[in-house]
Amino acid sequence: MTLYEKWSEIAEKDRTPQENEAFWKEYFLKEKDNYADILANNRKTLKGTLSELAGSFNMDTVTFTGFLDGINTSLTEEVDLESLEDTTELDIEIDYEKLYFNMLDAKADWLYNLTEWNDILSEDTRKSITKEFRISKMAVSSKVGRNEPCPCGSGKKYKKCCGKE
């Protein structure tokens, strides 16, 4: 069984709601510590074996594989999670702007509100990414309003032109 399969099994394990909450609360605290360390030390690249990196973040290799699963879409080049072993050499680069965007998308306020972001991305950059995120989540309708100009280009209102019954 691969490390990623072990992580998936642990993450998806049937638990009582209380056990599930306790499991994820403990994991999210570790995750928060990892991101705080990465940002505080501006660790844009992580190099070493999976086992070494897991140890540097005080995690076992299976839990660190879960962390990599979470950060994977924020890397300049994604890691093949299925092929990871303790001895796998990793050389990963984090795209901070993607990371911030993905934290917003995950609704992980305990991560995108970390004070360590202040030294990584300016407040204006964070606001810009937040605006981009919100725009990306807006529902856009292609429906033409009755009082809008007709899309046929006649210059008439839609209700007086193509929208006429």
Side-chain angles (χ1 to χ4, degrees):
M1 182 180 283
T2 68
L3 292 172
Y4 184 67
E5 289 170 337
K6 288 178 185 176
W7 167 252
S8 296
E9 187 177 286
I10 291 168
E12 296 165 8
K13 183 178 175 183
D14 279 336
R15 302 178 182 88
T16 66
Q18 295 82 8
E19 291 171 333
N20 200 44
E21 185 179 331
F23 170 80
W24 286 109
K25 185 177 182 179
E26 181 182 340
Y27 173 77
F28 290 146
L29 285 173
K30 291 176 185 176
E31 180 185 51
K32 181 179 177 181
D33 290 343
N34 286 4
Y35 284 118
D37 177 64
I38 287 169
L39 297 172
N41 297 304
N42 199 4
R43 293 175 68 176
K44 195 168 180 139
T45 59
L46 303 176
K47 292 182 182 182
T49 65
L50 180 82
S51 178
E52 292 167 347
L53 290 172
S56 73
F57 287 103
N58 298 316
M59 294 179 125
D60 61 81
T61 54
V62 174
T63 307
F64 190 72
T65 301
F67 175 74
L68 289 176
D69 184 25
I71 198 174
N72 209 14
T73 57
S74 302
L75 303 176
T76 55
E77 191 176 316
E78 290 190 22
V79 174
D80 178 14
L81 298 170
E82 293 287 342
S83 67
L84 292 178
E85 297 176 1
D86 290 356
T87 57
T88 303
E89 284 288 334
L90 294 171
D91 183 1
I92 58 179
E93 185 176 344
I94 302 166
D95 181 330
Y96 287 139
E97 291 186 8
K98 263 193 203 177
L99 179 62
Y100 191 80
F101 185 95
N102 290 336
M103 287 176 174
L104 290 168
D105 193 31
K107 298 176 180 66
D109 61 329
W110 65 95
L111 298 177
Y112 65 76
N113 285 326
L114 286 169
T115 58
E116 288 82 359
W117 277 112
N118 297 337
D119 296 330
I120 301 297
L121 299 175
S122 70
E123 188 174 342
D124 288 341
T125 302
R126 292 192 311 262
K127 283 181 181 178
S128 173
I129 294 169
T130 301
K131 183 178 180 181
E132 179 187 331
F133 167 74
R134 288 184 179 145
I135 289 171
S136 76
K137 297 301 175 188
M138 281 185 189
V140 178
S141 174
S142 60
K143 184 177 174 185
V144 180
R146 290 176 29 86
N147 291 315
E148 299 292 319
C150 191
C152 76
S154 68
K156 296 179 182 179
K157 288 185 177 183
Y158 179 70
K159 67 182 179 186
K160 297 283 187 179
C161 190
C162 296
K164 203 176 200 180
E165 292 185 44

